[in-house]
C-alpha cells in the first residue's frame, strides 16, 4: 500500500483528490494539510511514501515546503500538483528536489500512475512540463556580469550617459567605458541598446 499526504490550501481540492486516490486499491491517503508549514509537520508525523504538494499557498509555498520535507526525509517523494506551468515554477520545484510535476487537469489514472512511479523512485512530469524543461535546459546559460557591470547597465537603461553614470557611481568616464566594453563582450553585442535588451532577456536586469 502506497501512503500519501495531501498538501493543498483548498478543502474541495483535497476532498476530490482523496476520493480519486482512495478508489485505487493500492493507494491510501494518510493525512491532509492546508498549508506548506502544516505539510512539513505532517510529513514528519505521518511518514507518507509520497507527498502530493500544491505549489502556491499562503505563507510557506510548495517549493519551500518541499525543500524542508526532503531536508528532513531525503527518501520521501514529493510530487507537485498545480495549475501553473511557467518555466520559473517548474525549475524551482525541480531544483527543490520534487520527484514529479503534474497539472491539476490530470485524469485519475494519470495521477495514480504518477504516484506509483514516484514511489518506485522514478521522475514523473506532465508532457507539457517535460517539454518546457527540455527547452529551458537547452538554452545557453546566461552570461555572468559583475555587480558593478550590472549597476552601470541599469543606469544605461535609464538613459544615462557615460558622464552621468560616472558621477552617479563616483568613477571616471574611462572606467564606465571599460565596464561597458566588457559588458558588450560578455553579451556579444555592439551597442548600449542591444546590451540592455539582451541583459533583460537573460533576466540580468
Amino acid at each position: 500500500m502506497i501512503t500519501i499526504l495531501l498538501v493543498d490550501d483548498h478543502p474541495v481540492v483535497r476532498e476530490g483528490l482523496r476520493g480519486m486516490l482512495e478508489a485505487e486499491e493500492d493507494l491510501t491517503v494518510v493525512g491532509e494539510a492546508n498549508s506548506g508549514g502544516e505539510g512539513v509537520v505532517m510529513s514528519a508525523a505521518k511518514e507518507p511514501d509520497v507527498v502530493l504538494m500544491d505549489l502556491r499557498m499562503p505563507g510557506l509555498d510548495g517549493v519551500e515546503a518541499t525543500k524542508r520535507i526532503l531536508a528532513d526525509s531525503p527518501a520521501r517523494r514529493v510530487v507537485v500538483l498545480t495549475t501553473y506551468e511557467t518555466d520559473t515554477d517548474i525549475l524551482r520545484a525541480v531544483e527543490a528536489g520534487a520527484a514529479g510535476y503534474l497539472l491539476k487537469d490530470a485524469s485519475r489514472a494519470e495521477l495514480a500512475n504518477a504516484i506509483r512511479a514516484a514511489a518506485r523512485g522514478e521522475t514523473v512530469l506532465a508532457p507539457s512540463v517535460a517539454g518546457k524543461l527540455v527547452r529551458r535546459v537547452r538554452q545557453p546559460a546566461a552570461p555572468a556580469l559583475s555587480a558593478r557591470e550590472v549597476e552601470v547597465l541599469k543606469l544605461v537603461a535609464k538613459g544615462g550617459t557615460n558622464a552621468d553614470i560616472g558621477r552617479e557611481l563616483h568613477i571616471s568616464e574611462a572606467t564606465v567605458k571599460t565596464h561597458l566594453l566588457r559588458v558588450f563582450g560578455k553579451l556579444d553585442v555592439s551597442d548600449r541598446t542591444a546590451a540592455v535588451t539582451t541583459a533583460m532577456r537573460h533576466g540580468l536586469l
Side-chain angles (χ1 to χ4, degrees):
M1 183 69 72
I2 298 172
T3 56
I4 304 160
L5 171 66
L6 305 178
V7 185
D8 196 296
D9 60 328
H10 294 99
V12 172
V13 172
R14 296 199 307 271
E15 184 178 345
L17 288 171
R18 178 184 281 274
M20 288 171 63
L21 297 174
E22 294 200 329
E24 302 289 328
E25 292 183 356
D26 59 335
L27 306 180
T28 186
V29 176
V30 294
E32 297 181 22
N34 61 18
S35 68
E38 188 179 1
V40 173
V41 173
M42 291 193 69
S43 173
K46 299 290 187 179
E47 298 186 340
D49 298 313
V50 177
V51 178
L52 207 53
M53 178 75 70
D54 189 19
L55 196 61
R56 299 189 186 178
M57 294 175 285
L60 195 71
D61 69 7
V63 170
E64 289 304 316
T66 296
K67 289 180 182 177
R68 295 188 189 185
I69 287 171
L70 296 178
D72 180 61
S73 304
R76 190 141 301 145
R77 309 293 287 172
V78 179
V79 175
V80 169
L81 182 66
T82 181
T83 55
Y84 304 98
E85 57 174 327
T86 67
D87 290 7
T88 302
D89 286 329
I90 296 166
L91 279 178
R92 288 183 67 227
V94 171
E95 288 170 354
Y101 196 110
L102 303 175
L103 302 179
K104 285 183 177 176
D105 61 0
S107 68
R108 187 181 97 183
E110 288 171 336
L111 184 57
N113 287 334
I115 289 172
R116 293 183 186 109
R120 291 193 300 267
E122 299 172 16
T123 299
V124 288
L125 298 171
S128 60
V129 169
K132 283 177 178 286
L133 196 57
V134 168
R135 285 194 296 275
R136 184 64 179 258
V137 169
R138 284 176 177 168
Q139 288 177 354
L145 300 183
S146 70
R148 178 62 91 185
E149 288 165 352
V150 171
E151 284 182 320
V152 169
L153 204 50
K154 282 181 178 177
L155 293 173
V156 169
K158 292 179 180 178
T161 64
N162 286 3
D164 295 332
I165 295 169
R167 283 192 296 272
E168 177 79 17
L169 299 179
H170 307 291
I171 57 179
S172 69
E173 284 188 56
T175 301
V176 173
K177 186 173 182 181
T178 298
H179 283 310
L180 282 175
L181 288 173
R182 287 176 180 161
V183 169
F184 291 173
K186 288 180 179 181
L187 299 181
D188 193 24
V189 297
S190 57
D191 61 68
R192 298 159 76 93
T193 301
V196 170
T197 55
T198 301
M200 292 179 69
R201 188 171 71 247
H202 282 297
L204 301 173
L205 290 182

